[in-house]
Amino acid sequence: MNSATFAAIGIEEDLVAKLADFGINAPSPVQEQTIPLLLAGRDVLAASQTGTGKTLAYLLPLLQTINPEKRVMQKLILAPTQELAMQILREAERYGAHRGIGVMGLIGGAAIKRQIEKLREHPQLVVGTPGRIRELIGLRKVKMHEVTTIVIDEADQMFQLSGAGEVTKIVSSALRTRQLVMLSATIGPETKALAAREMKNPAEVGIDPGVMTAQSLEHHYVVAEERNKIDMLRRVIRHYNPEKAIVFVNATEDIAEVRAKLEHLGLTAAALYGDADKVTRSHVLSKFREGKFRVLVASDVAARGLDIENLSLVVSFDPAFDSEHYVHRAGRTGRMGRKGLSVTLVTEQQTFIMRKFARELDIELTEREMYAGKVLSSDEARASNRNSGGPSRGSNPTPRREDRPVRSDKPQARVSGASPIAGAGRRPATTSDLGNGNGTNQTGNDFTRAQPRSAAPQGSVRSSKVDRERDRKNKGAPKWLKDKAPRGDGQ
């Protein structure tokens, strides 16, 4: 149990009182280690699990060392996404307003002319995305010569999205005497290279290298056939019954379909697209925080860095691209010591990805099965199956994984790319799929009713199938996404 106090590590009384107003009475481990170093003016390279309080670890020292009487930009925070930047901005306003500190957000997607006009108010703390900050520096509207501290939050993701070039140019535009702080859940080679090049005798604040996710998190995966994944997603959400949940989908064009099918199955849901405009994304997140809908369907880019209160469940509809993406997905829940659950839906052929993540992250990632309205371990499910004499996974029994020969001729599932959903690249529906004839199959999944064969030429039939597939995929999508040219059209 942490016995330190904010006052003991150097935070001034008014900020301590403000923290107490929001129920924060003791620093987290990363805050306890980082805050004294930043107050002493040290450059810091900090690695800590997502959800451990990294934002306040750098924000409190920044607010405390800003001079409110000096009407120039003194501190700059860079964030990889619009959502994370706005989230940091809200925290800065929450704890800095009583000190008279001017805070401003400069993010891409917003009107640059309006941002230039607001810069005339001379904010002391600016939070922004690298592209927009670099643009305004080039226009000489953001002046870096008085900036004493630059913070790069979610550094690894920053380099993935915008490249090291933008960030390096921003850092180089400030005085060499400035303080540089970099924080991330994972520290990759580009982050280490920038630290070695730009930092002066940096203090490293780290975690156990083998502990990449919060200890309060549980990690499960559920096996389902590709065509049954939507129904399995519904069952998982219904069973755990979270107040809020995020569902991660790998491919942007699949998000609308997953959202529409969840709505059809009675779960209120909305979609968050990484390339939607700022106003749309902000509106969706605001409604999600307010509880206007229960499930947020999003891509990794759209949900990166989000901090949503009372978010107890994260579901990966498609397996994460790699262990680093898994860390950031799982890190949306189980924040600041609260309990959280990360569930991944995989096909039988994708289970090796779960074993790979468990090995690389040194976590217990266990298989669970939905059986008779309960979530059981695979051993418990097999025992129940033997007692009842029925199959353990739906109506299509499959042999146990350890009893099957290992196939090494051709891979059976894509790992790095997007997993197809709801009919893309699967076998056509057969009469056994039609179930009760009311528009659903035996698992409750939606399907398109079989159309009578026409006498049209083969090319025409193929074209109509492509059109129907595109229309089905776009069901429920916003107009701007429907209008985008499909992949493979040479654009």
Side-chain angles (χ1 to χ4, degrees):
M1 187 70 180
N2 187 17
S3 58
T5 64
F6 283 105
I9 59 176
I11 297 301
E12 294 174 356
E13 186 176 339
D14 63 309
L15 288 172
V16 173
K18 201 70 177 174
L19 289 164
D21 289 344
F22 293 98
I24 304 174
N25 299 303
S28 68
V30 69
Q31 292 166 358
E32 186 178 354
Q33 295 176 65
T34 305
I35 287 173
L37 293 169
L38 295 184
L39 289 175
R42 294 284 303 277
D43 286 356
V44 171
L45 177 61
S48 182
Q49 301 106 327
T50 301
T52 54
K54 292 196 302 292
T55 302
L56 285 181
Y58 64 76
L59 192 55
L60 292 173
L62 260 58
L63 294 172
Q64 186 163 304
T65 53
I66 285 175
N67 180 2
E69 304 298 323
K70 196 174 181 181
R71 306 298 294 177
V72 293
M73 187 172 79
Q74 302 169 41
K75 312 288 182 181
L76 172 65
I77 302 171
L78 297 175
T81 64
Q82 298 175 11
E83 284 74 29
L84 181 56
M86 297 308 295
Q87 190 169 286
I88 296 168
L89 187 68
R90 284 193 297 270
E91 292 291 293
E93 291 172 339
R94 174 184 290 181
Y95 296 106
H98 73 283
R99 286 193 162 212
I101 295 173
V103 182
M104 183 177 176
L106 296 175
I107 62 176
I112 192 169
K113 288 185 178 180
R114 186 174 180 184
Q115 290 177 345
I116 291 172
E117 290 174 3
K118 290 202 70 177
L119 280 169
R120 294 171 184 166
E121 300 174 9
H122 304 293
Q124 290 104 346
L125 173 61
V126 168
V127 185
T129 50
R132 180 52 53 91
I133 295 293
R134 180 76 182 91
E135 185 178 5
L136 289 168
I137 290 174
L139 293 172
R140 300 181 181 275
K141 301 301 180 181
V142 166
K143 298 176 174 61
M144 298 291 292
H145 64 279
E146 301 254 16
V147 173
T148 56
T149 305
I150 299 175
V151 175
I152 304 173
D153 200 356
E154 297 287 359
D156 274 10
Q157 177 69 0
M158 185 90 70
F159 296 134
Q160 288 179 18
L161 293 179
S162 60
E166 293 282 1
V167 178
T168 301
K169 289 174 184 176
I170 293 170
V171 172
S172 300
S173 66
L175 298 177
R176 289 290 298 174
T177 55
R178 49 89 190 109
Q179 180 184 36
L180 182 59
V181 184
M182 291 195 287
L183 307 98
S184 184
T186 54
I187 302 295
E190 287 184 309
T191 305
K192 291 178 181 176
L194 182 63
R197 188 170 62 250
E198 299 290 347
M199 286 184 163
K200 306 177 295 291
N201 187 28
E204 294 189 8
V205 176
I207 57 173
D208 183 340
V211 183
M212 299 301 296
T213 60
Q215 298 297 304
S216 58
L217 265 175
E218 287 187 54
H219 307 270
H220 297 164
Y221 69 93
V222 179
V223 178
E225 292 186 22
E226 191 73 50
R227 61 179 180 174
N228 297 335
K229 282 176 69 175
I230 283 285
D231 187 61
M232 184 60 75
L233 174 61
R234 174 193 63 81
R235 294 169 67 190
V236 167
I237 295 173
R238 292 289 193 197
H239 175 82
Y240 289 108
N241 196 28
E243 183 176 335
K244 297 185 182 77
I246 293 181
V247 174
F248 284 98
V249 178
N250 285 353
T252 300
E253 59 267 27
D254 293 339
I255 292 176
E257 183 179 13
V258 174
R259 185 210 64 79
K261 288 198 169 186
L262 287 177
E263 288 273 0
H264 179 74
L265 293 169
L267 292 167
T268 55
L272 185 65
Y273 298 89
D275 52 357
D277 63 83
K278 168 184 171 289
V279 174
T280 300
R281 292 163 68 174
S282 177
H283 179 66
V284 170
L285 284 173
S286 176
K287 291 179 69 176
F288 187 46
R289 286 190 170 94
E290 294 169 3
K292 298 294 178 62
F293 57 90
R294 191 176 181 187
V295 183
L296 180 68
V297 185
S299 65
D300 289 274
V301 172
R304 177 67 67 145
L306 290 185
D307 186 5
I308 306 293
E309 292 184 6
N310 302 319
L311 180 69
S312 58
L313 176 65
V314 166
V315 182
S316 292
F317 186 81
D318 304 306
F321 294 115
D322 52 39
S323 56
E324 181 180 337
H325 281 82
Y326 182 87
V327 167
H328 285 286
R329 287 184 180 188
R332 297 312 100 216
T333 184
R335 302 175 73 84
M336 293 300 291
R338 301 183 183 92
K339 288 190 177 297
L341 176 63
S342 172
V343 177
T344 301
L345 306 185
V346 295
T347 63
E348 195 76 38
Q349 293 83 9
Q350 291 172 328
T351 55
F352 79 94
I353 303 174
M354 299 295 96
R355 295 191 293 274
K356 177 174 178 282
F357 289 172
R359 182 173 64 253
E360 292 179 353
L361 299 173
D362 193 22
I363 59 175
E364 187 177 347
L365 215 168
T366 56
E367 181 179 354
R368 291 289 187 267
E369 294 191 24
M370 305 292 291
Y371 187 87
K374 299 178 181 178
V375 175
L376 305 175
S377 68
S378 54
D379 290 340
E380 291 171 334
R382 289 188 188 108
S384 299
N385 180 46
R386 284 194 297 269
N387 293 335
S388 65
S392 62
R393 287 181 184 155
S395 58
N396 298 317
T398 55
R400 289 172 54 182
R401 197 156 38 248
E402 58 267 35
D403 295 338
R404 292 184 215 154
V406 177
R407 298 182 181 179
S408 57
D409 50 352
K410 291 183 181 179
Q412 305 233 350
R414 291 184 294 172
V415 179
S416 59
S419 296
I421 66 170
R426 298 182 209 148
R427 64 170 180 80
T430 64
T431 53
S432 62
D433 292 320
L434 299 182
N436 54 23
N438 62 359
T440 60
N441 61 14
Q442 292 178 357
T443 63
N445 286 343
D446 300 333
F447 65 90
T448 303
R449 293 184 182 274
Q451 300 295 325
R453 295 184 179 180
S454 68
Q458 184 175 357
S460 175
V461 172
R462 183 179 183 87
S463 176
S464 64
K465 286 183 177 179
V466 171
D467 291 340
R468 286 201 303 273
E469 175 67 9
R470 184 181 296 121
D471 291 342
R472 182 186 61 76
K473 297 281 281 184
N474 278 337
K475 181 181 178 182
K479 185 177 185 301
W480 63 265
L481 184 61
K482 292 179 182 179
D483 293 339
K484 291 180 76 172
R487 293 179 177 176
D489 284 0
Q491 298 182 9

